Amino acid sequence: MKLFKGKTISWQIVDGAMELVLDRAPCNEIGSETLAELESFVSALATLQDEAHALIISSARQEGFSAGADLRELYHRSQGLSLSQRKTGIREFLERIHAVMNAIDMAPVTTIAAVHGVTFGGGFELALTCDLIIADKMARFCFPELRLGLIPGFGGIPRLKRDLGNAVVRDLLLTGRSINAEKAQSVGLVSQVVAEGQALRVARATAAQIKKFDRETAKAAKLFIKADLAGELRREIDLFCELFTRPAVEAGLRKFVESTDALPYLP
Amino acid sequence: MSTLQNTTEQILQLAAEHFRVPREKLAADDDFFTKLGINSLQALDLLTRLEQHFHIELPDYELQGVSDFRTLAERIQSRL
């Protein structure tokens, strides 16, 4: 499918680049519906990559790139289930989202995340699968999972460790604090910081530059640079599942769900 | 170095402009969530603008329990 318009995402080829746009209110929370459509995208990737040299992932939501996993759905789905059913359910979801993230991470084209606003949790993890992150100066990055008694579960820790120094990883993970685009660039997470509303335009200009190069060379360079994280990603799934069934997590999720605020876990 | 009073004034000015509230309707002791009508997402946006304006880094956990402009100014002042 060269063109797709779903309920939560859409994609098309523009000037030789695939453009995947997240568009689910309020801020692209990743739940089962988004996951299913992302799986469709990954299936279509094999065909799309024949005609495209780059992939740009962006958001149509004003609030930001993505607020991460759909915690409300996660909480409601786990109600009334036994401990073992909850563990099975969360493992199945993680296996599927990891397959999507891994496919984007190792896509044989250059990938660019054009981010703005809230880039939290699973949204941050999606951005981390991309080769380049181009950030609007109002973008903010955060792993708030520890505030809920969890760790990032969509491959975030291994990918963050791959890209950044361990001290920065510990700071982001263990304090759960958010950082702005300028700070993210200073630690090496973001390649370019641009003016408000300009991330997608700059990502397209970057994709046009990438188009000038031999595709096979770019692919070989990417595979050489990006380390294989399979073992660590597997351990992350196991650890997340182990933590997920603890009472502290259910209490944290309940507090989140019962709040009417946009980002109840902040500050 | 900027005084606390000056820092507070700059915050009030920036908040008034960005959230389109008349400056004269904002006071240092006001609850900014109530007065600006903002949620935590918009508060985060304000934090980013303040970090850029004052050229500082202010971890959001330092704003735990902070809801008035004066205390916000004190937190910023401690980073200047």
Side-chain angles (χ1 to χ4, degrees):
Chain A
M1 251 183 302
K2 287 180 190 173
L3 186 71
F4 173 83
K5 176 87 181 96
K7 287 182 182 170
T8 66
I9 67 171
S10 63
W11 70 76
Q12 63 179 323
I13 294 182
V14 180
D15 294 331
M18 288 174 264
E19 292 196 3
L20 171 65
V21 181
L22 312 174
D23 191 2
R24 183 198 176 208
C27 191
N28 294 320
E29 287 76 6
I30 301 169
S32 51
E33 202 163 42
T34 306
L35 173 59
E37 292 190 347
L38 284 171
E39 287 175 325
S40 299
F41 171 73
V42 165
S43 299
L45 198 55
T47 314
L48 291 167
Q49 69 195 29
D50 292 339
E51 295 179 40
H53 58 277
L55 163 65
I56 298 170
I57 305 179
S58 66
S59 158
R61 307 300 311 173
Q62 190 193 345
E63 295 80 357
F65 183 70
S66 167
D70 187 341
L71 299 176
R72 287 184 173 83
E73 182 188 291
L74 190 65
Y75 175 77
H76 291 304
R77 281 198 167 211
S78 67
Q79 294 307 291
L81 296 180
S82 69
L83 207 64
S84 76
Q85 285 173 321
R86 286 171 63 194
K87 250 185 184 169
T88 307
I90 195 66
R91 182 173 287 277
E92 189 206 354
F93 186 88
L94 290 180
E95 296 283 359
R96 289 173 59 198
I97 193 75
H98 269 246
V100 167
M101 298 285 188
N102 294 347
I104 296 172
D105 196 13
M106 300 316 281
V109 295
T110 303
T111 52
I112 305 167
V115 308
H116 68 276
V118 171
T119 305
F120 280 18
F124 189 2
E125 293 175 290
L126 177 59
L128 283 168
T129 65
C130 292
D131 303 327
L132 307 171
I133 299 177
I134 293 173
D136 179 310
K137 71 178 198 178
M138 292 304 294
R140 247 187 132 85
F141 302 85
C142 177
F143 275 133
E145 284 82 354
L146 257 77
R147 299 173 195 234
L148 297 166
L150 285 168
I151 59 163
F154 295 0
I157 301 174
R159 291 197 173 94
L160 201 63
K161 275 171 67 183
R162 175 178 66 188
D163 293 345
L164 302 182
N166 214 328
V168 184
V169 177
R170 288 196 302 272
D171 184 13
L172 284 172
L173 194 68
L174 301 177
T175 70
R177 73 160 166 142
S178 60
I179 58 170
N180 65 27
E182 198 184 329
K183 169 79 176 181
Q185 187 180 36
S186 74
V187 297
L189 179 68
V190 160
S191 4
Q192 296 181 57
V193 177
V194 301
E196 280 186 75
Q198 295 298 311
L200 183 56
R201 186 195 65 75
V202 174
R204 284 174 174 156
T206 306
Q209 167 67 10
I210 290 161
K211 195 178 180 179
K212 295 174 187 168
F213 305 138
D214 175 65
R215 202 187 148 127
E216 287 306 312
T217 311
K219 183 176 157 186
K222 172 173 172 168
L223 293 175
F224 181 63
I225 292 163
K226 279 194 152 175
D228 178 11
L229 303 171
E232 280 198 52
L233 290 166
R234 175 64 33 210
R235 284 201 295 282
E236 185 190 86
I237 293 177
D238 292 341
L239 181 56
F240 189 98
C241 291
E242 200 181 305
L243 294 170
F244 184 68
T245 47
R246 291 178 319 134
V249 174
E250 193 178 351
L253 285 173
R254 190 185 309 115
K255 192 177 164 196
F256 179 92
V257 168
E258 286 169 357
S259 170
T260 53
D261 205 352
L263 294 171
Y265 40 68
L266 289 179
Chain B
M1 189 178 148
S2 183
T3 62
L4 179 61
Q5 191 181 2
N6 185 256
T7 299
T8 309
E9 180 50 39
Q10 287 183 61
I11 294 170
L12 291 168
Q13 191 67 40
L14 191 145
E17 277 171 24
H18 182 63
F19 293 103
R20 296 191 176 130
V21 176
R23 166 62 192 89
E24 62 275 14
K25 290 201 171 174
L26 300 179
D29 292 321
D30 282 343
D31 180 313
F32 49 78
F33 285 103
T34 310
K35 209 65 185 250
L36 300 172
I38 61 173
N39 58 24
S40 58
L41 190 67
Q42 290 159 311
L44 209 59
D45 183 84
L46 177 62
L47 172 63
T48 306
R49 291 181 194 281
L50 290 170
E51 284 181 328
Q52 287 169 357
H53 179 82
F54 289 103
H55 305 288
I56 56 161
E57 194 185 337
L58 186 61
D60 44 31
Y61 54 75
E62 282 218 12
L63 301 180
Q64 182 78 48
V66 175
S67 58
D68 65 282
F69 291 106
R70 192 187 305 279
T71 313
L72 177 60
E74 285 168 3
R75 297 287 193 278
I76 288 174
Q77 191 71 19
S78 71
R79 299 255 169 184
L80 292 176

